[in-house]
Amino acid sequence: MIRLISRRIEIGTGDGGISNLGFDKRGIVTSCRAVLLPRFGGPEVLEFRDNVAVPDLKPNQVLVRARAVSINPLDTRMRSGYGRSIFEPLLPLILGRDISGEVAAVGNSVKSLTVGQEVFGALHPTAVRGTYTDYAILAEDELAPKPGSLSHAEASAIPFVALTAWRALKSTARIREGHRVLVIGGGGAVGFSAIQLAVAAGCHVSTTCGGESISRILAAGAEQAVDYTIEDAEVALKGHFDAVLDTIGVPDTERMGISLLKKGGHYMTLQGEAASVTDRHGLAIGLPMAAAILLKKQIQYRYSHGIEYWWNYMRADAEGLHEIRRLSEAGKLQVPVDKTFPFSQVREAHEAKDRRQIPGKVVLEID
């Protein structure tokens, strides 16, 4: 059983017409527009289609009428074949993780959200039916009320990157007031989110970044921002840290981050090897091989340096998302949007990201 929208929703096509949304006789949305990934490749493989089926809701799920969805690096990497061992048998996929929009229908066990309510949230990295669609389906714990002070475009840029940072700092490292936190790569969306979360928790925050990001990062509350393009970060960074979040994850940054940790500290990288190893060797061999690689590193660093080593991934976290919402509403957490594109220009948006023409967040607006 699902509780439904009470009115038909019409969507302009941009030429004065109405797009091909499908409704059954009860007014339930049965089909909508979506961007499909039928095969891996460049931006040209993305297909904008009408009449893509909208699955029935499970009891804990919410149907969201999308107003804005952001493009994450995971989207462009998946489009190019990252995670092939997992996703290739499931093609075609719908990319996209972040969303901001309105609740269109809810499953019968959903209690915290109501039809018509503005929400934002993010799907798990392995979701097959993503958010590049008029109507996305998320679990109740993947959504929260949208911060009222933000537009849909601004809100859609936040959940995936902020939850990635939250999982590392709060769930894994368990940072608290007075801790010293280092973010390697603080100029990116995850890094900038991590800085703001750590500052809000009362931590002393240092970071490495490009020179163009320093003023923004210091304004967000970081105590030290080292321009890695002109300084030796390992020399310039002062003291040792309770937690290091490495958003770059290359051998040099891993070595530096681990060398700057206190005993008992946590090193967390966003560049875990699970997907790349399974892509090379297949799921049956790759998953246990990746687990063995991680375990070996954990044991090695625990005994050689006395620190904890982790591969970090985004996970749904209802408590985290509600705290992210609270901080965003209070102006303490933001992810700047550099450019927006109409939904129909998804190929152009991906191409711009591939060519690094737009360094910051890109959002697709769905009208």
Side-chain angles (χ1 to χ4, degrees), residues 182-186 207-209 228 232-234 237 241 243-261 266-272 297 301 307 309:
L182 171 62
V183 178
I184 300 174
T207 189
T208 64
C209 60
Y228 72 93
D232 183 333
E234 196 166 355
L237 289 164
F241 298 88
V244 173
L245 174 58
D246 185 355
T247 72
I248 309 300
V250 297
D252 283 348
T253 59
E254 180 172 309
R255 180 195 53 76
M256 178 182 73
I258 288 169
S259 72
L260 291 171
L261 272 174
H266 292 262
Y267 170 86
M268 298 149 292
T269 176
L270 300 187
Q271 307 302 329
K297 284 196 168 190
Y301 288 126
I307 62 98
Y309 177 95

Side-chain angles (χ1 to χ4, degrees), residues 250-321:
V250 297
D252 283 348
T253 59
E254 180 172 309
R255 180 195 53 76
M256 178 182 73
I258 288 169
S259 72
L260 291 171
L261 272 174
K262 298 177 181 178
K263 294 281 187 183
H266 292 262
Y267 170 86
M268 298 149 292
T269 176
L270 300 187
Q271 307 302 329
E273 299 177 48
S276 58
V277 171
T278 54
D279 284 348
R280 285 198 302 270
H281 301 283
L283 284 173
I285 297 173
L287 281 179
M289 185 180 293
I293 292 170
L294 175 59
L295 180 60
K296 180 180 178 181
K297 284 196 168 190
Q298 288 176 324
I299 293 171
Q300 171 192 336
Y301 288 126
R302 194 171 294 152
Y303 282 95
S304 64
H305 292 74
I307 62 98
E308 302 298 322
Y309 177 95
W310 305 97
W311 293 345
N312 189 73
Y313 305 96
M314 178 270 188
R315 294 288 186 275
D317 186 316
E319 178 188 353
L321 185 57

Side-chain angles (χ1 to χ4, degrees), residues 201-213:
C203 297
H204 305 284
V205 183
S206 298
T207 189
T208 64
C209 60
E212 71 282 354
S213 301

Side-chain angles (χ1 to χ4, degrees), residues 154-366:
E154 292 167 332
S156 74
I158 294 172
F160 189 84
V161 294
L163 282 168
T164 302
W166 175 275
R167 179 170 174 82
L169 298 181
K170 302 290 282 188
S171 302
T172 301
R174 300 188 181 279
I175 60 168
R176 60 182 184 271
E177 186 175 359
H179 273 180
R180 300 195 72 233
V181 175
L182 171 62
V183 178
I184 300 174
V190 174
F192 190 53
S193 298
I195 290 167
Q196 294 170 92
L197 289 172
V199 168
C203 297
H204 305 284
V205 183
S206 298
T207 189
T208 64
C209 60
E212 71 282 354
S213 301
I214 286 179
S215 59
R216 173 165 57 93
I217 285 170
L218 293 176
E223 296 177 2
Q224 184 183 19
V226 176
D227 183 350
Y228 72 93
T229 66
I230 60 174
E231 294 186 76
D232 183 333
E234 196 166 355
V235 172
L237 289 164
K238 301 167 185 174
H240 286 74
F241 298 88
D242 299 283
V244 173
L245 174 58
D246 185 355
T247 72
I248 309 300
V250 297
D252 283 348
T253 59
E254 180 172 309
R255 180 195 53 76
M256 178 182 73
I258 288 169
S259 72
L260 291 171
L261 272 174
K262 298 177 181 178
K263 294 281 187 183
H266 292 262
Y267 170 86
M268 298 149 292
T269 176
L270 300 187
Q271 307 302 329
E273 299 177 48
S276 58
V277 171
T278 54
D279 284 348
R280 285 198 302 270
H281 301 283
L283 284 173
I285 297 173
L287 281 179
M289 185 180 293
I293 292 170
L294 175 59
L295 180 60
K296 180 180 178 181
K297 284 196 168 190
Q298 288 176 324
I299 293 171
Q300 171 192 336
Y301 288 126
R302 194 171 294 152
Y303 282 95
S304 64
H305 292 74
I307 62 98
E308 302 298 322
Y309 177 95
W310 305 97
W311 293 345
N312 189 73
Y313 305 96
M314 178 270 188
R315 294 288 186 275
D317 186 316
E319 178 188 353
L321 185 57
H322 281 275
E323 178 64 9
I324 287 163
R325 174 191 181 273
R326 186 188 70 79
L327 292 172
S328 299
E329 189 74 75
K332 296 180 179 180
L333 175 59
Q334 59 174 320
V335 178
V337 175
D338 276 8
K339 187 172 177 61
T340 62
F341 286 82
F343 186 38
S344 59
Q345 293 182 13
V346 61
R347 287 183 178 178
E348 290 86 344
H350 268 242
E351 185 174 352
K353 291 303 293 182
D354 281 359
R355 293 184 176 180
R356 303 185 180 225
Q357 295 170 339
I358 306 169
K361 265 286 190 176
V362 170
V363 168
L364 301 173
E365 292 188 301
I366 304 174

Side-chain angles (χ1 to χ4, degrees), residues 40 83-90 93 126 128 274-275 278-279 283 287:
F40 300 119
R84 176 186 301 272
S85 58
I86 299 170
F87 295 115
E88 192 162 34
L90 304 173
L93 308 176
T126 58
V128 174
T278 54
D279 284 348
L283 284 173
L287 281 179

Side-chain angles (χ1 to χ4, degrees), residues 76-96:
T76 57
R77 293 177 71 190
M78 282 178 61
R79 189 208 70 224
S80 300
Y82 177 78
R84 176 186 301 272
S85 58
I86 299 170
F87 295 115
E88 192 162 34
L90 304 173
L91 292 173
L93 308 176
I94 298 176
L95 296 176

